Each structure stands twice: as structure tokens, then as C-alpha cells.
Amino acid sequence: MFADRDDTGITRLVECLRREIPVIWWKFGEPETSVSVNVDYDNVWLQQRDATVTQADFARARLIIYRRRFHFPRPLVTSSLATDADRFFSEREWSSLIDGLLIREEQRSRAVWLNSPSATLRCNNKLSLLLRAADAGFLMAPFCVSTPVRFPPDAPSGLVTKAISTDERIDSSRYLTTALVPPEILQEINGVHLGTPSLFQHRIQPQSELRIFQILGDAIAVWLKPSADNVDIRYSSAREMAPLMTEISPELRSNLERFTKSQQLSLCAFDMLLADDSRLYLVDITPNGSWDYFEDDEAPAISEALAKVVAKKVVAQ
């Protein structure tokens, strides 16, 4: 397991997995003072406070989970150097080192990767994934990206805007998450050449929201109650979302599996909206989609379901 040390979903997943199989968790984000490495042409040795990963571990591994959270990116190893410039350079060097090793191991490992570093990098562009999904025939609300600004026509429920990049940060306190644009703002910016390209999409007012985790050929689906106050459901609490595990149709399962395989992904989250006309609209695709905000420590149902699929795959390997 290679994932952020403060990833709540991964923490729960590791707890569930360790009941069934042995797990080594190399935690991203540890301080450089606690990390030791030894790398040459034939050997890899990585050590931190709670884990050591060797060449033999890579050779024995049946499944390797590599998870980067690009919505809130952070360095793979943190530096304590005095100046910002030195610190940022050090952290880039650490990230290049760790990612370089993992990409090399991906090429020669017999393990199943969930997801591989190369697939993660290739599928990091959210717009590219959505365009590929549209090409594959998934139903999507009309959208437009343009500068000067123009809008997709005939939007009876209004327009939302969202970041094109997976990294939604503007600065340390601001993020461009999915938001409904007031009519007066739309009128003001129509035809204006803004400094940043902007994505506008028809708002779908859903009966329900559906998040599906396509993982290792299986599908874990959760119905979510839409929020009356937040277009972006991530700002609702688990209690407000009232998550309910569900099954999806064989046709939808097949379509999602086909798309996931075409992108060489072993794990991918799909966000869909069930509209008043009973049609499902795909609104987002996240290869390393989170699940922790749908559950709590007392009832980590999604973590348990994911762990069950992973453990079954490891045993089968």
C-alpha cells in the first residue's frame, strides 16, 4: 500500500484488510527525517517509522495499491528545510525518487496494481476522462468550455461551473468546487474573455445521486440523498447523504467495466445523477475517488466492501 498517511478511507481499508491478509503501508507525507532509502540498479530499500519495503517485498506482492489524492495534492515526503525554495525543491526530488521507483516496479512486477502509477498519471486529467466517457456513449449533461465565455444552450435548471483540473485549489483557503452560477453573473460574463478557461454545464436536479466504485471487475454502488443546499455533495455530512448500498443493472455494470478496462484502471469512481426523467447522467469520473465521507468509523460499509474484493483477489492470485 502506497497512500497518504492522513487518508481516512485508506486507514479504514487497511484495518479491514489486515483481518484477512498481511499489509505493508508505506505512508506518503512522512517527514524526510523519518525516511531512509537505498536504491541502485538491482536493489530497492525504503524505510520509514512504521514500514520497510524491500525488493523482495515487491517480488512477493500480489496486489499493490497506489493512491494519490489530486484534489488535495501533497508531497510524497515532506521537507523541513528552512526556505520555501529549498523545501519545494527537496519535496520534488523526493516525489521524483518515489514515483520513479514505483514506475520501474510497475514494469517488472507481477502484482495487480490498483491503480498503477502510469495509469494514474495518464488518467489524472478530469476533462479528458469525461470526453472519453462521452465517446463511449455515457449520457452526460451538455457542457461548454470556451473563451470568450459562452454557454451550452437551453439550460432550464441553470448552469453549474467546475474546475477543469483535478487540482481544485486556488490558494490555501479557496477551491473551485462544483457550484451553481447565479443568473446575474452569467449575464455579466457572457462573451467576456476571462483570464481562466471556464467550464459551464447544465444543472441536473437529481432525485438521487449514485456513486459507483468499479474495482477489480466488481462494482460497489451507493445511493446518496441530494443536498438542498450544496450542488457539490462533498459538502454534505454522511448523515445528510444517507448512503444506501445498492445493486446496479447488468448493462450499467458491463459498460462501466468496459470503460475502466479501456483506461487500464483497476479502480475508478463514477458519479451519476438520477434525473426526474429516470435517466442516469454521468457527471464525474475519479480514478482514485474517495469514500470516507460516505461512512464513519462505526459503520465503514464501503471500506469493508472494498476490502472484501481486494482480499478475494489477493487470495485468488
Side-chain angles (χ1 to χ4, degrees):
M1 177 85 71
F2 293 88
D4 292 329
R5 65 177 182 172
D6 61 347
D7 188 327
T8 303
I10 287 293
T11 300
R12 293 173 183 156
L13 179 61
V14 168
E15 290 173 355
C16 295
L17 283 172
R18 282 179 171 159
R19 301 172 196 156
E20 307 291 335
I21 55 176
V23 178
I24 300 173
W25 181 7
W26 175 270
K27 296 178 180 179
F28 294 149
E30 291 286 349
E32 50 87 13
T33 52
S34 70
V35 177
S36 300
V37 300
N38 184 17
V39 179
D40 56 34
Y41 290 118
D42 301 314
N43 182 59
V44 172
W45 182 80
L46 305 172
Q47 187 178 52
Q48 57 184 209
R49 285 178 292 194
D50 300 321
T52 299
V53 179
T54 67
Q55 191 68 60
D57 293 318
F58 279 112
R60 286 194 299 264
R62 299 180 181 182
L63 188 141
I64 300 174
I65 297 176
Y66 172 82
R67 176 170 161 82
R68 301 288 302 276
R69 294 182 296 173
F70 290 105
H71 278 99
F72 307 100
R74 70 278 322 273
L76 301 189
V77 176
T78 59
S79 171
S80 58
L81 294 178
T83 70
D84 288 346
D86 289 346
R87 187 167 58 254
F88 294 156
F89 177 76
S90 174
E91 290 174 349
R92 290 199 306 272
E93 290 292 281
W94 276 109
S95 293
S96 294
L97 169 63
I98 302 299
D99 268 341
L101 294 174
L102 294 179
I103 290 171
R104 197 270 294 266
E105 292 304 324
E106 173 195 340
Q107 298 300 314
R108 64 182 187 176
S109 170
R110 292 177 295 177
V112 174
W113 286 76
L114 194 161
N115 288 308
S116 71
S118 61
T120 299
L121 291 171
R122 187 181 64 255
C123 295
N124 184 34
N125 189 292
K126 180 167 58 178
L127 179 62
S128 174
L129 275 177
L130 289 171
L131 291 173
R132 280 177 268 171
D135 291 340
F138 285 91
L139 180 64
M140 297 172 62
F143 71 90
C144 182
V145 183
S146 66
T147 181
V149 172
R150 69 181 187 81
F151 309 120
D154 303 324
S157 299
L159 294 172
V160 297
T161 188
K162 60 180 73 174
I164 300 170
S165 170
T166 307
D167 182 356
E168 299 174 341
R169 291 179 305 172
I170 300 171
D171 55 31
S172 61
S173 62
R174 295 182 300 159
Y175 292 80
L176 179 57
T177 56
T178 304
L180 181 66
V181 186
E184 62 271 19
I185 298 296
L186 294 175
Q187 185 175 3
E188 181 181 339
I189 64 175
N190 188 22
V192 175
H193 189 110
L194 300 177
T196 303
S198 303
L199 187 154
F200 295 96
Q201 188 171 33
H202 282 203
R203 180 192 186 191
I204 303 296
Q205 293 184 300
Q207 299 179 27
S208 297
E209 300 199 20
L210 181 64
R211 169 156 281 208
I212 305 168
F213 297 92
Q214 191 72 28
I215 175 171
L216 298 170
D218 208 337
I220 298 168
V222 187
W223 282 118
L224 303 168
K225 182 180 178 181
S227 170
D229 301 318
N230 301 305
V231 176
D232 194 324
I233 201 169
R234 289 175 295 176
Y235 288 96
S236 301
S237 68
R239 182 182 297 274
E240 290 171 326
M241 288 186 281
L244 178 65
M245 305 287 281
T246 187
E247 295 291 330
I248 59 175
S249 70
E251 180 184 6
L252 178 57
R253 180 187 292 262
S254 176
N255 290 340
L256 294 175
E257 174 66 6
R258 189 181 308 112
F259 179 80
T260 303
K261 283 185 175 180
S262 73
Q263 307 307 312
Q264 298 178 307
L265 296 169
S266 300
L267 169 65
C268 193
F270 298 85
D271 291 328
M272 310 188 84
L273 304 181
L274 179 64
D276 290 335
D277 60 7
S278 298
R279 295 195 294 175
L280 275 173
Y281 289 82
L282 178 65
V283 293
D284 206 358
I285 304 174
T286 315
N288 284 324
S290 297
W291 59 91
D292 55 281
Y293 48 86
F294 302 141
E295 57 182 17
D296 54 44
D297 290 327
E298 287 72 36
I302 302 172
S303 296
E304 291 173 352
L306 293 169
K308 183 177 179 180
V309 174
V310 171
K312 181 179 178 181
K313 183 68 173 182
V314 170
V315 172
Q317 288 289 97

